[in-house]
């Protein structure tokens, strides 16, 4: 917790302060004189005055004299007696800011939770001022689970020796979500603690944090959790405890990627491609991207674990940065349920009914499977009717305010999926027709349809509109769930059915195929090894074959090959400039584009993630370049942003390697 630099007192010393402001041209250090008697050190949170206004700032450095020739202003107040930022955090923040053309203050601000005086007081009462050391335990026999992986024992051995292996770990069922008493994560933690280092575990949701925390219930290790649902008091207190070394293991959601855990030995990220691990604020990074940079800078291990494999993970292995920790094909087939993907021949064999949303063969499959245990039905969206189209021309129903897709309630009332505004007297913007029809059915209507077909079967719905069920209380019945809301069955589901596969596979975004594979592999992980899973609506044979083989690694490699041919991320670096059309056009005209960097064009921005600050006519301009040319392109973008900020011209938002291009 304490800095290597002693507390510095006196009126001749100067603090170099990173002021918390969003203006790009102020993204630098400012010198302030330290008043006599004020105990300021690197990482201290202080209050300073700039241009007549007061700001918070972080002391980045304390020096004996300033290069500034004028009279220095004094630091007005030392806000916290505890240094909140250490050298490792500053190094990571500088690296992220430089790579993503974002202000350093924004990154530091994302690292530190809001200060809570009560939490700080409580922490100081129990802290003795000395950073605690990890508590290793005696070596016990490893989990037999690792025999399924050729490189599993070697991974644990290297971790216990203080080395930092990096791996993409394809999981088998029961590992995530955790449903094992003797979980393999315990072996990873024990191996790291044997080398007197610590472990950071990152999961997508607060529910996952509770599930993983339960694994350590009987362990001797000190565990601290960080969740988005924590109160301001708990969030700041846990931050201080982690920084003081009071935890051997930290388990948290997205923001835990910045957790200031000293002597970090390993970062384990579960389901890293889940979009709930993506930060919607600048610097717009995912927990995996932050963890990759942190593993590189702090020389610690990184293990990206999931039932599926993303394109980003495949790229880490292809470049040699990480190793693939995969189960043998025979093991994968033995430990997972059989997957069936009906093709056009199967549908035609059932006649016209075979092309319905729930073919007769699937209905019979569900009835038979209910005799053996609970059955999970996976639908892509919640509600009654999640997407409507014009009955006359087939045009997608759009909101008159934000142009988002419309959904219908059970009473036929239309609302926007993006802004939730009711659509009174709706008319098609293409042909002015007032008649619509549904094209995608939500979880509520699916549950009602099964309720009529299976009147004596208990049906539960798990989604954000009703409630998200953590675990089933009984091992019978039918469960209708949306992506990410699938409950755990204690003994596993007897069967699973994925409906409306085309809803995700038919999307034009680049991320759609890998997201579909991630969702469906997670569903497969909830089914018993002796069960079956049927995916209805897959028309892409490559996806169907990968599912039947249960081989997400091969599918991710194919998608990566396509990206390399197309020249998109992660094969090449992409920089997107967002903002009002006038500002983006002026920005692109003003920017000096380095050699080997190309301007791909400009397109309107649509979607729920388009911020109002982008103006009435939001657009995105896209640049592309090879990875070795990316630093010069990002430097040029940042220089242009600073120049426009100095002239008080309209600013833009910069995103490096965004998940979606438009």
């Amino acid at each position: 917790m304490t800095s290597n630099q002693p507390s510095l007192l006196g009126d001749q010393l100067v603090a170099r302060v990173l002021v918390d402001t969003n203006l790009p041209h102020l993204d630098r250090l400012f010198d302030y004189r330290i008043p006599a008697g004020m105990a300021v050190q690197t990482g201290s949170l202080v209050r300073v005055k700039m241009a007549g206004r007061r700001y918070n700032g972080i002391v980045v450095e304390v020096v004996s004299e300033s290069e500034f020739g004028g009279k220095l202003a004094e630091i007005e107040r030392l806000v916290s007696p505890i240094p909140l930022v250490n050298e490792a955090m500053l190094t990571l923040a500088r690296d992220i800011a430089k790579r993503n053309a974002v202000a350093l203050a924004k990154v530091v601000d994302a690292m530190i939770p809001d200060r809570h005086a009560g939490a700080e007081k409580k922490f100081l009462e129990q802290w003795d001022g000395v950073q605690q050391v990890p508590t290793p335990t005696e070596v016990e026999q490893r989990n037999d689970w690792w025999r399924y992986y050729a490189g599993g024992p070697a991974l644990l051995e290297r971790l216990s020796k203080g080395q930092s292996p990096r791996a993409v770990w394809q999981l088998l069922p029961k590992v995530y979500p955790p449903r094992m008493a003797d979980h393999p994560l315990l072996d990873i933690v024990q191996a790291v603690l044997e080398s007197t280092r610590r472990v950071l575990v990152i999961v997508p949701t607060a529910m996952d944090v509770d599930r993983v925390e339960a694994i350590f219930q009987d362990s001797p290790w000190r565990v601290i959790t960080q969740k988005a649902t924590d109160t301001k008091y708990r969030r700041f207190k846990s931050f201080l405890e982690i920084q003081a070394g009071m935890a051997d293991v930290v388990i948290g959601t997205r923001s835990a990627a910045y957790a200031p855990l000293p002597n970090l030995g390993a970062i384990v990220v579960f389901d890293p491609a889940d979009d709930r691990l993506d930060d919607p604020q600048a610097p717009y990074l995912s927990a995996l991207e932050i963890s990759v940079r942190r593993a590189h800078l702090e020389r610690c291990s990184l293990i990206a674990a999931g039932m599926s494999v993303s394109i980003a993970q495949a790229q880490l292995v292809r470049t040699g940065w990480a190793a693939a920790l995969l189960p043998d094909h025979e093991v994968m087939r033995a430990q997972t349920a059989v997957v069936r993907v009906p093709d056009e021949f199967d549908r035609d064999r059932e006649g016209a009914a075979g092309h319905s949303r729930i073919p007769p063969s699937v209905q019979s499959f569900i009835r038979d499977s209910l005799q053996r245990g609970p059955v999970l039905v996976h639908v892509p969206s919640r509600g009654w009717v999640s997407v409507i189209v014009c009955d006359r021309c087939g045009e997608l129903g759009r909101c008159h305010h934000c142009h988002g897709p419309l959904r219908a309630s059970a009473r036929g009332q239309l609302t926007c999926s993006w802004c939730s505004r009711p659509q009174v007297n709706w008319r098609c913007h293409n042909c002015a027709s007032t008649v619509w029809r549904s094209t995608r059915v939500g979880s509520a209507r699916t549950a009602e349809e099964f309720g009529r077909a299976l009147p004596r079967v208990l049906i539960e719905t798990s989604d954000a509109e009703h409630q998200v069920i953590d675990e089933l209380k009984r091992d019978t019945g039918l469960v209708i769930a949306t992506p990410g809301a699938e409950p755990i069955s204690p003994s596993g589901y007897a069967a699973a059915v994925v409906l409306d596969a085309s809803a995700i596979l038919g999307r034009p975004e680049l991320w759609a195929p890998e997201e579909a594979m991630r969702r469906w592999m997670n569903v497969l992980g909830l089914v018993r090894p002796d069960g079956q899973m049927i995916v209805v609506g897959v028309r892409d044979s490559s996806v169907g074959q990968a599912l039947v083989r249960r081989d997400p690694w091969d599918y991710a490699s194919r998608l990566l090959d396509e990206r390399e041919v197309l020249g998109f991320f992660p094969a090449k670096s992409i920089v997107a400039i967002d903002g009002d059309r006038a500002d983006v056009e002026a920005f692109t005209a003003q920017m000096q584009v380095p050699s080997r960097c190309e301007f791909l064009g400009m397109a309107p921005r649509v979607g729920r993630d388009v911020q109002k600050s982008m103006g009435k006519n939001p657009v995105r301009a896209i640049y592309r370049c090879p990875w070795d040319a990316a630093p010069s392109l990002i430097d040029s973008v940042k220089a242009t942003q600073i120049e426009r900020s100095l002239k008080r011209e309209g600013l833009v938002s910069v995103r490096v390697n965004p998940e979606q291009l438009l």
Side-chain angles (χ1 to χ4, degrees), residues 597-651:
C597 300
E598 56 181 324
F599 177 61
L600 296 184
M602 189 181 301
R605 284 297 312 273
V606 294
R608 67 178 70 192
D609 60 334
V610 177
Q611 302 172 1
K612 292 182 179 179
S613 59
M614 293 184 185
K616 295 182 179 180
N617 190 11
V619 297
R620 166 170 284 183
I622 299 177
Y623 292 87
R624 177 172 62 186
C625 67
W627 277 103
D628 57 348
S632 59
L633 176 60
I634 294 171
D635 289 344
S636 179
V637 169
K638 194 164 186 177
T640 307
Q641 188 85 308
I642 292 173
E643 185 179 347
R644 291 180 62 82
S645 178
L646 281 169
K647 297 178 180 178
R648 297 187 178 182
E649 296 174 339
L651 298 180

Side-chain angles (χ1 to χ4, degrees), residues 357-358 441 444-454:
R357 180 172 179 253
I358 311 175
V441 176
R445 182 167 171 177
T446 303
E448 183 168 311
E449 290 176 352
F450 277 111
R452 290 195 297 265
L454 305 169

Side-chain angles (χ1 to χ4, degrees), residues 31-110:
D31 291 351
Y32 287 87
R33 188 164 58 85
I34 302 175
M38 184 179 288
V40 173
Q41 55 185 310
T42 301
S44 294
L45 179 63
V46 295
R47 193 73 170 167
V48 297
K49 195 171 183 179
M50 176 186 288
R53 298 182 62 182
R54 289 176 174 83
Y55 297 90
N56 283 339
I58 292 292
V59 177
V60 174
E61 187 180 5
V62 177
V63 295
S64 58
E65 57 183 19
S66 172
E67 297 178 359
F68 180 67
K71 184 179 179 181
L72 293 181
E74 277 191 349
I75 293 176
E76 291 195 343
R77 182 164 60 93
L78 178 63
V79 179
S80 174
I82 307 171
L84 301 182
V85 180
N86 55 39
E87 192 58 41
M89 294 171 68
L90 285 173
T91 302
L92 176 63
R94 289 189 183 102
D95 180 83
I96 290 175
K98 183 176 181 180
R99 286 174 164 267
N100 294 276
V102 65
L104 179 61
K106 270 187 172 291
V107 184
V108 173
D109 189 55

Side-chain angles (χ1 to χ4, degrees), residues 469-499:
I469 304 172
D470 181 15
E471 185 173 323
L472 297 182
K473 303 301 181 185
R474 62 185 76 188
D475 262 354
T476 57
L478 188 68
V479 180
I480 315 295
T482 52
E486 303 90 351
I488 293 175
S489 172
S491 61
Y493 289 96
V497 175
V498 175
L499 296 178

Side-chain angles (χ1 to χ4, degrees), residues 52 77 149 580:
R77 182 164 60 93
Y149 297 89
D580 188 76

Side-chain angles (χ1 to χ4, degrees), residues 534-554:
I534 295 181
V535 183
V536 182
V538 175
R539 290 179 171 82
D540 186 338
S541 60
S542 63
V543 179
Q545 291 168 9
L547 286 169
V548 171
R549 296 195 314 269
R550 286 152 280 178
D551 191 358
W553 174 259
D554 179 69

Side-chain angles (χ1 to χ4, degrees), residues 420-498:
S420 300
R421 287 187 174 97
Q423 305 295 303
V424 182
N425 301 324
W426 174 83
R427 286 182 178 274
C428 174
H429 68 275
N430 185 48
C431 68
S433 172
T434 60
V435 182
W436 55 268
R437 57 183 170 86
S438 61
T439 59
R440 192 185 306 166
V441 176
S443 55
R445 182 167 171 177
T446 303
E448 183 168 311
E449 290 176 352
F450 277 111
R452 290 195 297 265
L454 305 169
R456 297 186 179 182
V457 175
L458 174 66
I459 298 177
E460 297 186 77
T461 303
S462 179
D463 60 25
E465 193 168 88
H466 297 84
Q467 65 171 338
V468 177
I469 304 172
D470 181 15
E471 185 173 323
L472 297 182
K473 303 301 181 185
R474 62 185 76 188
D475 262 354
T476 57
L478 188 68
V479 180
I480 315 295
T482 52
E486 303 90 351
I488 293 175
S489 172
S491 61
Y493 289 96
V497 175
V498 175

